[in-house]
């Protein structure tokens, strides 16, 4: 005798089609960028640009700023890079601080370029420990200005913030 539960069982759903926007290809011709993180307690930066002016760590800290990306505190005037739509991008993230940072990119997912040359799983955030350098890759498929920041929001609010631009 068949029960009602088995009669109402639905067929297995068919898998979703592959999402081509998530494919990471073209790495040999990729645009290459580097993001150097500095600052924080125990290894303060010597100087960084704050609101268009070069300041030392003491002055930055008095303004509640403790971190820099590529020598700039907070959102820079220029994006970290400008990518054409569909262009592959590789970004080395170099953590020259003593602290881990959870680097998060808006608007795209990425894969880590592993030391052996393979690609890691699809992510939008990657935790990078102090003195670590990790590389990510993605295809810039999503036009716009996208914030690229540490996901520890006190870090983002005190300097760890930049953006990328993808042309339409
Ligand atoms: Cu952080």
């Amino acid at each position: 005798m068949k029960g009602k539960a088995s009669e109402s069982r639905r067929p297995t759903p068919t898998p979703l089609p592959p999402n081509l926007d998530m494919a990471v290809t073209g790495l040999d011709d990729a645009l290459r960028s580097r993001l150097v993180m500095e600052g924080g307690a125990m290894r303060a930066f010597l100087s960084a640009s704050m609101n268009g002016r070069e300041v030392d760590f003491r002055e930055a800290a008095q303004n509640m700023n403790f971190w820099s990306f590529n020598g700039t505190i907070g959102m820079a005037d220029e994006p970290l890079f400008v990518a054409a739509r569909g262009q592959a991008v590789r970004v080395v993230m170099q953590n020259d601080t003593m602290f881990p940072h959870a680097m998060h990119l808006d608007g795209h997912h990425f894969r880590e370029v592993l030391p052996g040359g393979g690609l890691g799983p699809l992510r939008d955030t990657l935790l990078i420990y102090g003195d670590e350098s990790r590389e990510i890759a993605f295809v810039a498929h999503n036009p716009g200005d996208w914030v690229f920041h540490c996901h520890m929001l006190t870090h983002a609010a005190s300097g760890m913030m930049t953006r990328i631009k993808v042309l339409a």
Side-chain angles (χ1 to χ4, degrees):
M1 191 174 81
K2 273 185 166 182
K4 282 206 163 125
S6 65
E7 283 169 21
S8 66
R9 200 166 284 158
R10 297 188 176 116
T12 306
T14 52
L16 291 169
N19 185 340
L20 297 178
D21 283 343
M22 297 296 116
V24 178
T25 55
L27 293 190
D28 290 343
D29 303 317
L31 182 160
R32 287 171 180 261
S33 180
R34 177 177 288 268
L35 183 74
V36 178
M37 310 168 213
E38 291 183 291
M42 295 186 280
R43 199 184 288 169
F45 48 71
L46 290 176
S47 80
S49 173
M50 183 176 77
N51 302 322
R53 199 165 58 81
E54 207 66 16
V55 297
D56 63 13
F57 189 78
R58 174 183 293 265
E59 185 173 350
Q62 284 166 347
N63 290 275
M64 299 303 288
N65 289 313
F66 305 99
W67 311 98
S68 67
F69 281 166
N70 291 353
T72 296
I73 296 164
M75 191 59 82
D77 292 338
E78 297 298 321
L80 180 64
F81 58 82
V82 179
R85 189 176 186 177
Q87 180 163 30
V89 179
R90 300 171 70 145
V91 185
V92 173
M93 298 183 289
Q94 178 183 326
N95 183 355
D96 284 350
T97 81
M98 300 281 279
F99 294 83
H101 298 290
M103 287 302 301
H104 173 74
L105 176 63
D106 286 5
H108 295 78
H109 288 74
F110 54 78
R111 293 181 189 274
E112 182 175 5
V113 181
L114 300 171
L119 295 174
L122 203 59
R123 297 179 185 281
D124 64 10
T125 304
L126 185 64
L127 187 66
I128 305 166
Y129 287 93
D131 284 329
E132 240 185 12
S133 186
R134 312 266 292 267
E135 186 176 26
I136 59 169
F138 60 96
V139 174
H141 66 85
N142 200 0
D145 288 272
W146 299 106
V147 176
F148 189 25
H149 63 97
C150 178
H151 222 311
M152 289 129 172
L153 295 181
T154 55
H155 293 180
S158 57
M160 302 195 105
M161 177 88 77
T162 187
R163 73 184 190 284
I164 70 163
K165 187 178 189 70
V166 179
L167 301 174

